[in-house]
């Protein structure tokens, strides 16, 4: 009988103890290992002592904690944006952004856009290949009389994985106003030396780039972020959604502000882990350079590794009855011996 992997009662880490057995864990989205990073935890506790556990007041309250404005200024500078907005979750950041900006023009969704980006529940998914969507989008906008378009897409498909290139937007007519909304939840803190997608988005006068992201993955805090030009951030901060929502816990933002070196050190460790893993294997699996997720071709791979007490990500996608996608996810919390054991099990 398989152990119960649905009721784990400990923090996720490189090792998980279940029913008296220790398993190596290569799944999840804690790419930088922040949930068990002791330096980060020390900062978080310091933040709790300074600001308390939570803050249930609106950001428009007449009495405010200054940590929120401070964190937004740090985030904008760190990721190269004019301004930032921080919410209590990535889902909320995405929802308030798409619901407000979608009123400005015609909306086009990219392939497999995350449900956090949807305007309506059970929205029809775009299942095209990204390269096909690119060409279709260029032709549709260039042949239309509509002046303003909102393109909404993930920055990448983290499951396959595939990092998207948005340079195609430059081929759209310059007399069109383009608002490009990109969900970078899996890229921020990892891709492009931690800068995420924003540095590679097209810079052009008729294009406004807006990045939304969960900060709960690589960055390790329960919050969401929007990176955008000042006028868009100001517009979003005037919405009922932003005004009515309680903000994220201040302690996490305190840690975020003071953790720049922690993030850099963790990213360097992750890069070393990826280099070790990739250089030892003759990889025929699908992966993207610099991103620590590896899609395996063998549908029974997770079962094979389970025999060696190694857990990987394995679940059906995109539909519940589909064949499971087996993926190995590396993290900064993995040690050299963890990678060696994984390699040995793969090559067995």
């Amino acid at each position: 009988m398989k152990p119960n992997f649905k009721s784990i009662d400990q923090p996720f880490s490189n090792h998980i103890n279940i029913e008296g057995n220790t398993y190596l864990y290569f799944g999840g989205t804690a790419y930088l290992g922040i949930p068990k990073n002791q330096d980060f935890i020390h900062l978080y506790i310091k933040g709790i002592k300074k600001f308390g556990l939570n803050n249930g007041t609106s950001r428009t309250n007449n009495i405010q904690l200054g940590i929120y404005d401070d964190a937004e200024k740090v985030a904008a500078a760190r990721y190269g944006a004019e301004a930032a907005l921080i919410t209590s979750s990535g889902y909320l950041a995405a929802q308030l952004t798409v619901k407000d900006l979608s009123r400005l023009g015609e909306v086009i969704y990219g392939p497999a856009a995350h449900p956090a980006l949807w305007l309506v529940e059970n929205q029809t998914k775009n299942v095209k290949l990204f390269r096909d969507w690119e060409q279709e989008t260029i032709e549709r906008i260039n042949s239309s009389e509509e002046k303003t378009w909102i393109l909404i897409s993930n920055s990448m498909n983290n499951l396959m994985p595939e990092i998207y290139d948005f340079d195609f937007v430059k081929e759209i007519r310059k007399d069109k106003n383009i608002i490009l909304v990109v969900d970078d939840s899996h890229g921020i803190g990892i891709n492009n030396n931690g800068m995420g997608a924003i540095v590679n988005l097209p810079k052009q006068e008729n294009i406004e780039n807006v990045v939304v992201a969960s900060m709960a993955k690589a960055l390790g805090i329960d919050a969401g972020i929007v990176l955008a030009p000042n006028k868009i951030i100001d517009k979003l901060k005037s919405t009922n959604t932003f005004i009515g929502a309680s903000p994220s816990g201040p302690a996490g933002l305190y840690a975020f502000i003071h953790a720049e070196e922690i993030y850099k050190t963790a990213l360097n460790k992750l890069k070393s882990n990826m280099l070790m893993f990739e250089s030892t294997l003759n990889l025929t699996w699908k992966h993207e350079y610099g991103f620590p997720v590896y899609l395996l071709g063998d549908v029974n791979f997770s079962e094979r590794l389970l025999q060696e007490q190694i857990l990987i990500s394995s679940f059906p996608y995109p539909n519940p009855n589909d064949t499971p996608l087996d993926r190995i996810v590396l993290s900064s919390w993995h040690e050299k011996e963890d990678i060696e054991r994984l390699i040995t099990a793969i090559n067995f």
Side-chain angles (χ1 to χ4, degrees):
M1 181 181 294
K2 276 188 180 181
N4 181 8
F5 297 123
K6 296 285 190 178
S7 300
I8 294 172
D9 61 355
Q10 63 191 279
F12 285 115
S13 180
N14 54 332
H15 296 93
I16 299 177
N17 298 311
I18 303 172
E19 298 176 8
N21 294 310
T22 299
Y23 294 83
L24 263 181
Y25 177 57
F26 291 94
T29 61
Y31 306 120
L32 296 180
I34 296 300
K36 67 161 289 187
N37 185 299
Q38 292 305 307
D39 291 333
F40 193 90
I41 291 170
H42 174 73
L43 285 175
Y44 205 105
I45 293 171
K46 192 173 178 180
I48 290 174
K49 290 178 178 177
K50 186 174 177 67
F51 294 105
L53 289 174
N54 78 319
N55 175 18
T57 64
S58 167
R59 288 284 302 276
T60 58
N61 196 288
N62 63 316
I63 301 171
Q64 290 285 324
L65 290 176
I67 189 74
Y68 297 104
D69 286 342
D70 293 343
E72 288 170 345
K73 289 174 184 175
V74 167
R78 190 175 290 174
Y79 301 114
E82 275 191 16
L85 177 160
I86 292 177
T87 64
S88 58
S89 73
Y91 183 88
L92 180 59
Q95 281 288 291
L96 79 87
T97 299
V98 298
K99 286 184 176 179
D100 189 65
L101 298 185
S102 65
R103 300 187 182 102
L104 300 178
E106 190 80 17
V107 174
I108 301 180
Y109 274 93
H114 193 278
L117 298 167
W118 294 358
L119 287 168
V120 295
E121 187 69 22
N122 299 319
Q123 182 169 303
T124 302
K125 292 181 181 180
N126 182 340
V127 295
K128 294 181 173 66
L129 294 175
F130 193 84
R131 62 178 176 270
D132 294 335
W133 177 71
E134 290 180 15
Q135 196 57 44
E136 180 185 272
T137 299
I138 293 168
E139 293 171 1
R140 178 179 171 185
I141 295 176
N142 284 345
S143 62
S144 171
E145 296 300 316
E146 177 69 44
K147 287 296 183 182
T148 301
W149 295 80
I150 297 87
L151 308 186
I152 303 175
S153 175
N154 303 335
S155 68
M156 64 184 301
N157 183 332
N158 65 294
L159 297 177
M160 292 309 171
E162 178 186 6
I163 297 174
Y164 299 142
D165 184 347
F166 292 93
D167 273 356
F168 77 91
V169 180
K170 294 178 182 177
E171 297 180 38
I172 295 171
R173 284 166 42 186
K174 303 300 186 294
D175 62 337
K176 303 294 185 181
N177 301 313
I178 307 297
I179 300 174
L180 179 59
V181 179
V182 175
D183 185 336
D184 197 32
S185 294
H186 291 272
I188 194 168
I190 300 295
N191 294 338
N192 300 316
N193 289 316
M195 292 287 288
I198 194 167
V199 296
N200 281 344
L201 296 182
K203 310 297 188 294
Q204 200 164 274
E205 192 172 332
N206 66 318
I207 302 170
E208 292 182 296
N209 296 314
V210 180
V211 169
V212 300
S214 166
M215 300 176 76
K217 302 182 188 333
L219 302 180
I221 62 170
D222 293 324
I225 192 168
V226 184
L227 301 165
N230 282 305
K231 67 176 184 178
I232 288 182
I233 294 298
D234 289 344
K235 187 177 189 312
L236 295 177
K237 284 188 173 182
S238 69
T239 61
N240 291 332
T241 302
F242 181 79
I243 292 169
S246 296
S248 59
L253 297 184
Y254 177 87
F256 168 77
I257 288 172
H258 294 91
E260 187 169 12
E261 289 305 314
I262 293 173
Y263 287 134
K264 287 180 180 178
T265 300
L267 182 56
N268 287 334
K269 173 100 179 287
L270 178 61
K271 288 178 179 178
S272 295
N273 285 345
M274 288 189 288
L275 181 63
M276 179 183 178
F277 183 61
E278 293 172 16
S279 64
T280 312
L281 298 172
N282 179 17
L283 284 179
T284 57
W285 307 333
K286 185 148 182 15
H287 73 290
E288 284 277 8
Y289 175 77
F291 188 67
V293 174
Y294 306 84
L295 177 65
L296 314 179
D298 186 341
V299 294
N300 296 313
F301 223 105
S302 62
E303 294 297 325
R304 286 173 48 197
L305 291 179
L306 183 59
Q307 301 305 311
E308 304 298 320
Q309 292 185 220
I310 295 175
L311 295 174
I312 65 171
S313 176
S314 179
F315 57 87
Y317 182 85
N319 300 308
N321 296 322
D322 287 348
T323 301
L325 291 179
D326 283 358
R327 299 177 305 134
I328 288 171
V329 182
L330 299 186
S331 169
S332 302
W333 60 33
H334 292 119
E335 302 297 341
K336 180 180 178 182
E337 53 268 28
D338 299 333
I339 308 294
E340 289 174 341
R341 183 174 155 194
L342 174 64
I343 291 169
T344 299
I346 290 170
N347 291 332
F348 181 72

